[in-house]
Amino acid sequence: MIDRNSRTILSVQGLRASINGTEILKGIDLTVKSGEIHAIMGLNGSGKSTFAKVLAGHSAYEITGGSVQFEGNNLLELPPEERARAGLFLAFQYPIEIPGVANTQFLRLAYNTVQTKRGKEELDPLEFDDFVREKMKLLEMNPDFLDRSVNEGFSGGEKKRNEILQMALLEPTLSILDETDSGLDIDALKTVANGVNQIANKNNATILVTHYQRLLDYIVPDYVHVMQAGRIVMTGGKELALELETRGYDWVNTGKSITGAIA
Amino acid sequence: MSAVLQSLVNQPYKHGFVTEIESDIAPKGLNEDIIRLISTKKNEPEWLLLFRLKAYQKWLTMTEPDWQNVHYPKIDFQSISYYSAPKPKQKLGSMDEVDPELLRTFEKLGVPMHERAALAGVAVDVIFDSVSVATTYKEKLAEVGIIFCSISEAVQNHPELIQKYLGSVVPVGDNYFAALNSAVFTDGSFCFIPKGVKCPMDLSTYFRINTEGSGQFERTLIIAEEGASVCYLEGCTAPRFDTNQLHAAVVELIALDNADIKYSTVQNWYAGDENGVGGIYNFVTKRGLAKGINSRISWTQVETGSAITWKYPSCILRGDNSVGEFYSVAVTNNYQQADTGTKMIHLGKNTRSTIVSKGISAGHSNSSYRGLVRITPTAEGARNYSQCDSMLIGDQSGAHTFPYIQVQNNSAIVEHEASTSKIGEDQLFYFSQRGINAEEAVSMIINGFCKDVFQQLPMEFAVEATKLLSFKLEGSVG
């Protein structure tokens, strides 16, 4: 929701980043305020996943220009774990498998680390078990997942639910969902979207990185941005996603939009 | 791999100090006179001297093996001192008579030598260089008929048992280093659990090499009679020297009908510095004979130290329905090398064996699993399950697996699983994106990786091993 009294959570200006000497992000500007849901769309290779990873602090990318303020602080000087503790969450496109580490153990360590940072009490294993089981209901997850190794042998849909479960536990200020819809069947998509909608409120913000409009049927964005060759080339309301769906990304290059979106 | 990983593995060795104590050290070199000297110092019976001399003669005819996947300059066996004992060395009546300097040493190492201060229910035999300096809880164990003492003492007090069992599992000419050990072994632990007795406490031996230029050649013998059971733990440390030191031990286990021996090791010998200078050569022969029906021999090892670890704790499953187990974690860092594994020799019917091996290599180190599973024609219905997993940290380390499987009986079921994984940048990024720093992430991944082995260890050892591993790997990730 767009709210006049909202505060700025994320402010990105002229962000440039490269990997192995190849520039991927070529000057991104984006402002995200509390209560807002932004969708970033674009073709494969347009740089949208890179943008998500750069915000989270992936060490493979080198920042070559621009600035990022997160709740008024310089995000780029923080190591990734500090960004997470400050309330920035990335739901991974390909959640990583960690053999031998029980999901519940991982979730509890992450939860307690972030709680400690917020000056709150840690939960012991029993308290945490009750807490996490409540959250799992939200995502219609089987409690068996707690005892399995993190993401190991999970189906695509299970992995994505596990990401949203972590998001629900950590209560981030800014959630970035990197292609969370990919690999999900329609039922899983609805469940995941339902989870995201329940977590979103007027104090936090969400960025959905996606290729398809499909996810936006269930999570309605306030803004839609189109990325191309490392830049945001067009921004509009939720109708823009529908227009992209019918006209295709090639249409963006013509620079015209029936809804009057601005480039 | 980034700097975080690197800095995580490189932690100083905290047991590297030397105890200033006057020692009785034999002149360097190996010959019959030295062997006679050791035997005389230990006031041994004639048959034991002959055992030693026979082993020495055998050793002279043997050549140092070179098939292993570890590399080191040729050992000059004439530059090693084969006997070193803290003075004075008369047999002590009680713990209060132990040299305070020695007590302080072991206190510093965290080894409980005072029974009143000891960990609840663990009896300890403490070996310093070539001799056993103290054994706790001896009397209490004697009440149920258990003999737990140094092997030198057992030679004096229970010669018939030693003569019957010494060399019965590892013959004097078994291999090059076993022959050497048989010729010059100085001390070690002896345990005898009589028929039907379940050992009421864990038994343990703590080995400490102190003198530079000395070798440690200990000999351990554990016998569990019919229906007996025992859990035995072994720990090792050594000071930091720039020269390499040889530790060539022989351990023999014998389990009679329905007996159960569980042998756990946490090996943390000095591993050499970050450039691979110094450290212990840990060349050990460990073998258990599951002689009786339904007997069980279980080896658990956590190998973190030594410049070179080269050992294959093995089980000879002779009794029908006997069980052999091998659980191992071997961690190497810097320039450490490890070639370790097991041998499971199935002779009896319906014998079963389990092998779980976890190798972790960081820095420039190399770790190999080498294991033999042999099902002989008589081993009707034998089963083996082997699992060998390797984990690599950084991109300069190596992991190798050499499984040998020989099946000569069609009824056997033999399974082998292997995997190699890597603590990658992506895993660490995933943890860090959830607020967890690299140290905690690595510790969690490693503990998860080693879980199957750690849960075999007694509680205190498991805690110690976990600490040791995170300490050892601190700084290797990043």
Side-chain angles (χ1 to χ4, degrees):
Chain A
M1 89 210 71
I2 303 171
D3 177 359
R4 304 230 173 265
N5 298 321
S6 62
R7 65 202 162 89
T8 300
I9 287 178
L10 183 76
S11 169
V12 181
Q13 287 179 335
L15 181 65
R16 306 177 87 90
S18 54
I19 185 165
N20 300 327
T22 306
E23 189 168 65
I24 309 285
L25 303 185
K26 299 174 177 170
I28 292 191
D29 298 302
L30 178 69
T31 300
V32 177
K33 294 184 171 173
S34 57
E36 294 177 352
I37 296 176
H38 290 243
I40 297 180
M41 303 184 71
L43 290 170
N44 289 334
S46 60
K48 55 193 195 302
S49 277
T50 295
F51 181 45
K53 283 191 252 183
V54 164
L55 289 178
H58 197 292
S59 63
Y61 299 94
E62 190 194 349
I63 309 298
T64 50
S67 68
V68 181
Q69 298 283 314
F70 181 63
E71 297 200 284
N73 299 313
N74 181 357
L75 185 74
L76 299 178
E77 67 182 14
L78 298 177
E81 61 270 25
E82 290 297 334
R83 299 182 194 196
R85 291 172 200 166
L88 184 146
F89 181 90
L90 173 65
F92 283 59
Q93 182 179 3
Y94 303 108
I96 309 293
E97 299 190 0
I98 307 165
V101 175
N103 208 16
T104 182
Q105 209 188 347
F106 175 75
L107 296 173
R108 191 167 75 89
L109 181 59
Y111 176 77
N112 281 339
T113 306
V114 172
Q115 285 297 98
T116 306
K117 169 77 183 181
R118 292 172 183 162
K120 293 186 184 158
E121 287 287 306
E122 293 194 0
L123 293 184
D124 69 31
L126 289 176
E127 293 167 335
F128 182 75
D129 195 61
D130 292 342
F131 177 68
V132 74
R133 279 168 193 264
E134 264 322 296
K135 298 280 182 186
M136 288 177 95
K137 285 183 192 159
L138 178 76
L139 292 153
E140 296 167 26
M141 279 177 84
N142 187 330
D144 290 353
F145 282 99
L146 291 173
D147 298 323
R148 290 170 57 181
S149 294
V150 181
N151 295 327
E152 194 186 32
F154 287 26
S155 72
E158 289 162 350
K159 284 181 179 173
K160 296 297 172 78
R161 283 181 206 214
N162 204 31
E163 293 294 289
I164 305 305
L165 173 64
Q166 295 175 49
M167 181 173 146
L169 288 172
L170 301 180
E171 299 178 336
T173 315
L174 176 64
S175 302
I176 304 163
L177 280 63
D178 189 6
E179 310 230 6
T180 295
D181 51 334
S182 67
L184 292 187
D185 61 37
I186 196 71
D187 291 334
L189 183 71
K190 280 183 188 169
T191 312
V192 164
N194 184 37
V196 173
N197 285 328
Q198 291 200 37
I199 296 163
N201 62 39
K202 65 178 169 45
N203 295 314
N204 60 26
T206 309
I207 298 176
L208 308 168
V209 173
T210 182
H211 192 110
Y212 300 106
Q213 195 274 336
R214 196 175 68 140
L215 177 67
L216 307 181
D217 287 341
Y218 303 98
I219 307 173
V220 182
D222 300 300
Y223 296 98
V224 174
H225 310 275
V226 181
M227 261 187 91
Q228 207 171 59
R231 284 191 190 88
I232 289 176
V233 294
M234 192 180 277
T235 293
K238 61 178 185 230
E239 321 74 39
L240 179 54
L242 290 167
E243 197 164 341
L244 280 169
E245 185 80 356
T246 44
R247 298 195 171 200
Y249 283 101
D250 279 346
W251 154 77
V252 174
N253 294 328
T254 66
K256 298 263 186 252
S257 160
I258 49 167
T259 57
I262 40 156
Chain B
M1 190 67 33
S2 43
V4 190
L5 266 173
Q6 287 313 324
S7 68
L8 267 172
V9 229
N10 302 315
Q11 284 291 307
Y13 184 69
K14 62 176 177 178
H15 308 296
F17 62 92
V18 184
T19 306
E20 289 304 329
I21 193 159
E22 203 184 337
S23 288
D24 180 6
I25 303 172
K28 288 185 176 174
L30 181 56
N31 51 52
E32 285 204 8
D33 291 342
I34 289 287
I35 292 168
R36 285 175 198 280
L37 174 83
I38 293 171
S39 194
T40 308
K41 277 197 184 291
K42 298 185 143 322
N43 189 30
E44 288 176 353
E46 179 73 11
W47 62 263
L48 191 50
L49 175 63
L50 293 177
F51 175 95
R52 290 177 179 280
L53 293 173
K54 184 176 149 203
Y56 177 63
Q57 288 307 327
K58 182 80 191 171
W59 181 73
L60 288 175
T61 67
M62 299 170 93
T63 45
E64 209 174 325
D66 59 2
W67 47 262
Q68 69 280 17
N69 189 27
V70 299
H71 306 280
Y72 57 94
K74 256 197 143 21
I75 298 172
D76 179 2
F77 291 94
Q78 298 305 332
S79 73
I80 296 173
S81 169
Y82 289 84
Y83 185 83
S84 165
K87 281 191 210 173
K89 180 57 195 146
Q90 68 264 35
K91 207 55 206 175
L92 304 161
S94 84
M95 215 49 63
D96 300 332
E97 294 169 38
V98 175
D99 188 323
E101 192 57 43
L102 277 178
L103 283 181
R104 272 196 291 278
T105 299
F106 286 99
E107 238 157 61
K108 209 162 154 185
L109 294 169
V111 181
M113 282 174 73
H114 281 291
E115 290 183 9
R116 59 178 181 274
L119 286 169
V122 181
V124 189
D125 183 26
V126 176
I127 315 270
F128 191 82
D129 285 343
S130 303
V131 295
S132 165
V133 291
T135 310
T136 61
Y137 290 112
K138 254 199 296 210
E139 290 75 19
K140 196 167 175 223
L141 291 167
E143 282 168 23
V144 287
I146 294 172
I147 304 167
F148 179 46
C149 61
S150 72
I151 203 149
S152 311
E153 217 175 309
V155 167
Q156 303 302 322
N157 301 335
H158 310 281
E160 70 298 340
L161 287 174
I162 302 292
Q163 197 164 7
K164 181 172 176 191
Y165 288 111
L166 189 74
S168 68
V169 184
V170 180
V172 292
D174 186 79
N175 67 69
Y176 190 78
F177 290 100
L180 178 66
N181 173 287
S182 300
V184 302
F185 74 90
T186 42
D187 221 334
S189 297
F190 176 74
C191 313
F192 177 81
I193 320 294
K195 203 168 170 173
V197 173
K198 310 266 176 238
C199 188
M201 61 177 73
D202 290 352
L203 304 184
S204 82
T205 301
Y206 194 90
F207 295 99
R208 173 76 176 169
I209 296 179
N210 189 59
T211 309
E212 184 163 18
S214 69
Q216 192 174 51
F217 303 93
E218 95 263 359
R219 187 98 193 182
T220 294
L221 180 57
I222 300 176
I223 301 145
E225 284 197 329
E226 290 83 352
S229 74
V230 62
C231 181
Y232 181 90
L233 325 168
E234 169 195 74
C236 337
T237 59
R240 171 192 300 270
F241 291 125
D242 290 342
T243 50
N244 294 107
Q245 282 175 289
L246 179 62
H247 172 258
V250 172
V251 175
E252 296 175 282
L253 313 181
I254 296 136
L256 303 185
D257 289 357
N258 303 304
D260 189 334
I261 302 177
K262 193 168 161 58
Y263 191 108
S264 310
T265 305
V266 173
Q267 184 265 108
N268 187 23
W269 295 119
Y270 178 52
D273 68 10
E274 64 280 9
N275 300 314
V277 176
I280 303 288
Y281 291 164
N282 187 34
F283 299 168
V284 172
T285 306
K286 287 181 168 173
R287 195 173 301 157
L289 175 62
K291 196 172 180 181
I293 54 163
N294 304 320
S295 57
R296 184 173 82 118
I297 295 216
S298 177
W299 299 100
T300 304
Q301 60 173 21
V302 177
E303 304 283 326
T304 66
S306 297
I308 303 175
T309 294
W310 181 18
K311 57 183 254 198
Y312 312 96
S314 305
C315 299
I316 300 172
L317 304 172
R318 187 191 289 169
D320 289 348
N321 308 320
S322 60
V323 175
E325 295 171 335
F326 174 75
Y327 297 95
S328 170
V329 167
V331 188
T332 53
N333 190 12
N334 296 321
Y335 288 88
Q336 277 180 280
Q337 306 175 66
D339 190 324
T340 185
T342 185
K343 289 188 274 188
M344 293 291 174
I345 314 291
H346 292 254
L347 300 169
K349 292 188 180 63
N350 302 314
T351 45
R352 283 167 292 147
S353 62
T354 304
I355 299 172
V356 177
S357 164
K358 306 277 178 176
I360 302 167
S361 325
H364 294 265
S365 70
N366 253 301
S367 179
S368 303
Y369 166 81
R370 188 186 302 275
L372 168 68
V373 175
R374 180 188 289 160
I375 313 288
T376 64
T378 55
E380 200 68 34
R383 283 218 56 164
N384 162 265
Y385 172 75
S386 302
Q387 185 189 336
C388 305
D389 299 323
S390 310
M391 180 175 277
L392 298 169
I393 300 178
D395 50 12
Q396 306 287 313
S397 56
H400 316 267
T401 303
F402 304 99
Y404 303 79
I405 299 171
Q406 300 170 357
V407 178
Q408 295 168 295
N409 187 309
N410 285 336
S411 64
I413 302 173
V414 175
E415 293 170 81
H416 181 95
E417 285 181 26
S419 76
T420 303
S421 55
K422 200 173 156 139
I423 296 189
E425 208 82 44
D426 282 341
Q427 278 182 336
L428 292 177
F429 179 60
Y430 192 62
F431 274 96
S432 66
Q433 217 304 302
R434 301 301 182 248
I436 302 166
N437 66 30
E439 281 85 351
E440 282 179 300
V442 169
S443 159
M444 207 174 211
I445 295 172
I446 299 274
N447 281 312
F449 181 69
C450 300
K451 195 169 54 186
D452 297 346
V453 175
F454 284 175
Q455 67 196 18
Q456 297 296 326
L457 288 170
M459 193 59 167
E460 311 84 28
F461 256 40
V463 172
E464 183 64 30
T466 308
K467 272 197 290 192
L468 196 59
L469 244 69
S470 18
F471 189 65
K472 172 118 193 145
L473 292 170
E474 215 164 288
S476 70
V477 192

